[in-house]
Amino acid sequence: IPEDKYKEFEERENLFSNSKEFFSGFRFKPNQINPVLEKKGSPAIDNPELLDKLTKRPEIKLLDLLSTINIEEHPIVESVISNPKVLEQLEIDFKYEGYIQKQLELIEKMERLENLQIPLNFNYKKLKTISNEGKEKLDRIKPRSLGQASRISGVSPSDISILLVYLRN
């Protein structure tokens, strides 16, 4: 990567990190933001509200909210507005934070399953509560880990749960 491109990337990442931290704690007062919310057809607020929470509203864009903040008091706002990539990434991060968190938790869970080894001589047929198709596929393929077993077509999530309980005992 050329030096100038890498430096540009680092600056963008720093701006993203710093602005996310700042905006996550930034609160709007009702009299400051209600005109913008009403203009966008969004319910007004009665108490101070966090910027990242307001951004989650589908009809609200981050730029709408940032345009109400005094740039002289908070120069970071101007930096974000003038950088469309950072602005877009912040909006995505705020709007989809819950979904992103769920996916990260799912990734962690899958990594744990990937590390849970299944003995090569494991007798799947003795597990009465696993579906017949699941037993047959597991016995034929003989996965080395629970993660690998979960990717076998015909092995249901409930089969994996039962296998997980059995392996932990």
Side-chain angles (χ1 to χ4, degrees):
I1 299 174
E3 181 87 23
D4 59 329
K5 291 287 183 193
Y6 184 71
K7 187 173 180 176
E8 181 183 314
F9 168 77
E10 277 186 319
E11 288 171 1
R12 194 169 54 244
E13 284 298 303
N14 285 335
L15 177 59
F16 172 78
S17 302
N18 294 337
S19 55
K20 182 172 182 191
E21 185 178 330
F22 175 76
F23 293 139
S24 293
F26 189 88
R27 290 186 184 277
F28 285 105
K29 294 177 183 165
N31 63 346
Q32 177 187 12
I33 200 64
N34 279 341
V36 172
L37 296 177
E38 289 168 7
K39 183 179 174 186
K40 294 289 183 176
S42 189
I45 59 173
D46 297 326
N47 300 310
E49 193 64 71
L50 290 168
L51 179 143
D52 62 346
K53 187 173 179 187
L54 288 172
T55 305
K56 287 176 178 35
R57 296 182 180 193
E59 64 278 4
I60 301 298
K61 299 282 184 211
L62 180 58
L63 188 57
D64 299 331
L65 301 175
L66 294 181
S67 64
T68 66
I69 300 173
N70 185 338
I71 293 173
E72 290 167 8
E73 284 182 41
H74 307 289
I76 196 166
V77 173
E78 187 173 21
S79 300
V80 170
I81 290 174
S82 65
N83 191 323
K85 288 181 181 180
V86 172
L87 182 66
E88 179 184 31
Q89 189 59 50
L90 281 169
E91 185 160 13
I92 290 168
D93 232 57
F94 289 144
K95 281 195 184 291
Y96 302 105
E97 182 178 36
Y99 300 107
I100 293 168
Q101 189 59 41
K102 283 181 186 176
Q103 287 301 307
L104 291 173
E105 289 168 6
L106 183 61
I107 289 168
E108 284 179 25
K109 180 181 176 187
M110 290 307 294
E111 285 175 349
R112 285 193 305 273
L113 291 179
E114 208 57 55
N115 294 327
L116 190 57
Q117 301 296 309
I118 302 174
L120 287 174
N121 60 348
F122 190 84
N123 183 2
Y124 298 99
K125 292 178 181 168
K126 70 180 175 183
L127 300 176
K128 293 176 176 43
T129 48
I130 288 182
S131 69
N132 288 332
E133 183 182 10
K135 285 181 201 175
E136 180 186 313
K137 298 248 177 139
L138 290 167
D139 194 51
R140 185 167 30 96
I141 296 172
K142 300 208 181 297
R144 293 178 175 239
S145 71
L146 206 56
Q148 186 180 6
S150 71
R151 292 188 295 274
I152 298 172
S153 174
V155 176
S156 71
S158 64
D159 293 341
I160 297 299
S161 295
I162 293 164
L163 189 54
L164 173 63
V165 169
Y166 190 84
L167 289 171
R168 285 193 174 158
N169 293 335

